[in-house]
């Protein structure tokens, strides 16, 4: 995971840089701050959507869901008003089983990468989702059908055929680290780093690019479009931070990842939450989470509202 940093740094240097490793994340941070009983709130995307909408955070609209095999045949009725949509497992992760349909006409489905698929294939895909093929622990799952997000033009030259997102790490309700994840040809329209998407660390106060990472290697240009990643400035930055801060209020999880997409017309939306967010964000930022966590424990006030926490972050004089 942190191979790139470890190439340049000794274990002592990594420790001094405040890099959080997998064990420390699991045992000191996650088990201490995230109660197990709260996990279903974020592990199930239907529940996450409902909670988010209840406190006024927008999400891609749920068109419908399919819970049982005998309902799979209803798919054409569910999507009958739509020519584009996304089908995905409610309890999936890492982009597995996400089928982005950018066009549906006359019984032919076209995926985001331009592949044409038939009704039989879509039927099989949903059936596979229900049987747990893409889900945590292979449990039976629900298939979600939701509206397609049209990402904002500001990201156009930075991503290839897919929706980029912003991943925030939220600790005790404070957004502490950020990166944008940009789909590439290799990642098939998905913004997941282990599918081959590019990660670009963002300054938490401004939303401006810091460093890029692709498959654990440093990178400064988008591999498919050639665009200069260091020019990225995510707009509506304060709104992104507020969605992150509210993710804490809505779940009670002390440490979590919030994934936010910027729709061209509807603005920033929460796509999903994660109770065990990955650690590569540290590489994209060039500094460690442990440093930030210590900073929050020591200097950040408790009992502020989400809005106040965002203001605090924006005005804090960061060590980095
Ligand atoms: N509604 C949507 N519109 C457009 N792209 C989407 C949509 N939902 C998911 N995607 C694409 O698929 C990726 C993975 O979906 P996500 O909901 O985050 O599931 P996972 O838990 O598998 O990461 C996203 O990062 C995004 O690139
Ligand atoms: Mg995701």
């Amino acid at each position: 995971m942190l191979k790139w940093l470890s190439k340049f740094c000794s274990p002592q240097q990594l420790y001094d840089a405040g890099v959080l490793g997998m064990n420390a994340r699991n045992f000191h941070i996650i088990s201490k701050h995230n109660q197990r009983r709260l996990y279903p709130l974020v592990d199930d995307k239907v529940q996450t959507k409902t909670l988010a909408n209840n406190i006024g955070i927008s999400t891609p609209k749920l068109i419908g869901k399919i819970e049982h095999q005998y309902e799979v045949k209803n798919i054409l009725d569910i999507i009958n008003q739509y020519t584009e949509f996304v089908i995905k497992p409610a309890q999936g992760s890492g982009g597995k089983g996400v089928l982005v349909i950018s066009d549906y006409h006359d019984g032919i489905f076209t995926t985001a990468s331009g592949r044409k698929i038939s009704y039989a294939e879509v039927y099989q895909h949903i059936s596979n989702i229900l049987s747990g093929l893409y889900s945590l622990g292979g449990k039976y799952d629900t298939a979600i059908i939701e509206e397609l997000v049209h990402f904002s033009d500001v990201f156009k030259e930075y991503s290839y055929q897919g929706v980029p997102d912003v991943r925030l790490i939220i600790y005790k309700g404070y957004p502490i680290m950020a990166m944008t994840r940009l789909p590439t040809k290799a990642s098939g329209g998905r913004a997941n780093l282990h599918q081959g998407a590019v990660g670009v660390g963002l300054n938490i106060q401004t939303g401006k690019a810091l460093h890029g990472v692709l498959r654990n290697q440093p990178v400064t240009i988008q591999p498919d479009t050639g665009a200069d990643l260091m020019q990225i400035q995510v707009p509506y930055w304060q709104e992104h931070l507020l969605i992150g801060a509210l993710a804490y209020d809505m779940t009670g999880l002390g440490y979590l990842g919030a994934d936010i997409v910027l729709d061209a017309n509807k603005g920033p939306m929460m796509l999903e939450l994660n109770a065990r967010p990955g650690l590569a964000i540290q590489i994209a930022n060039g500094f460690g989470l442990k440093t930030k966590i210590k900073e929050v424990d020591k200097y950040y006030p408790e009992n502020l509202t989400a809005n106040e926490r965002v203001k605090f972050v924006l005005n804090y004089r960061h060590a980095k």
Side-chain angles (χ1 to χ4, degrees), residues 67-301:
E67 287 171 297
H68 306 284
Q69 294 287 352
Y70 66 83
E71 296 172 327
V72 179
K73 61 178 180 331
N74 299 344
I75 182 65
L76 295 183
D77 292 331
I78 294 173
I79 54 160
N80 107 70
Q81 303 288 323
Y82 292 86
T83 56
E84 48 178 38
F85 47 87
V86 173
I87 302 176
K88 61 186 175 188
Q91 300 183 51
S93 64
K96 292 188 290 273
V98 178
L99 185 62
V100 178
I101 301 292
S102 55
D103 187 56
Y104 166 59
H105 270 111
D106 307 325
I108 300 292
F109 300 80
T110 308
T111 69
S113 47
R115 200 162 62 90
K116 297 211 184 305
I117 56 177
S118 65
Y119 169 69
E121 285 171 273
V122 172
Y123 186 102
Q124 187 60 47
H125 186 81
I126 298 171
S127 182
N128 287 345
I129 289 177
L130 299 191
S131 66
L133 189 65
Y134 309 110
S135 316
L136 228 79
K139 285 177 302 197
Y140 290 119
D141 202 354
T142 296
I144 298 180
I145 299 99
E146 71 179 16
E147 282 189 358
L148 184 76
V149 173
H150 291 275
F151 66 91
S152 158
D153 272 357
V154 297
F155 282 116
K156 214 150 231 159
E157 55 182 313
Y158 299 114
S159 54
Y160 185 85
Q161 286 181 346
V163 177
D165 71 2
V166 168
R167 156 68 60 92
L168 294 176
I169 301 291
I170 320 297
Y171 178 63
K172 293 184 174 173
Y174 286 100
I176 57 170
M177 210 177 263
M179 76 171 153
T180 178
R181 302 182 301 178
L182 310 165
T184 59
K185 209 172 198 171
S187 75
R190 294 162 298 186
N192 302 86
L193 294 193
H194 36 278
Q195 306 279 4
V198 171
V200 179
L202 301 171
N203 180 312
I204 196 71
Q205 292 181 306
T206 60
K208 280 198 184 121
L210 293 170
H211 302 277
V213 59
L214 173 62
R215 297 203 185 276
N216 288 331
Q217 297 294 324
V219 67
T220 55
I221 59 158
Q222 214 285 0
D224 308 310
T225 67
D228 180 1
L229 298 169
M230 296 304 108
Q231 298 304 313
I232 292 177
Q233 157 75 72
V234 177
Y236 304 104
W237 189 241
Q238 195 163 334
E239 287 83 344
H240 280 77
L241 295 181
L242 184 60
I243 292 177
L246 284 168
Y248 169 67
D249 298 5
M250 110 187 194
T251 59
L253 290 163
Y255 182 77
L256 82 166
D259 296 346
I260 300 164
V261 286
L262 182 56
D263 187 274
N265 305 310
K266 299 170 185 162
M269 293 181 159
M270 180 186 284
L271 187 60
E272 67 157 336
L273 298 178
N274 196 318
R276 316 163 200 78
L279 297 163
I281 190 169
Q282 300 176 104
I283 303 173
N285 275 269
F287 63 98
L289 278 161
K290 215 156 52 184
T291 311
K292 295 298 301 184
I293 285 169
K294 278 190 188 151
E295 187 181 278
V296 174
D297 285 340
K298 209 164 168 189
Y299 301 113
Y300 289 27

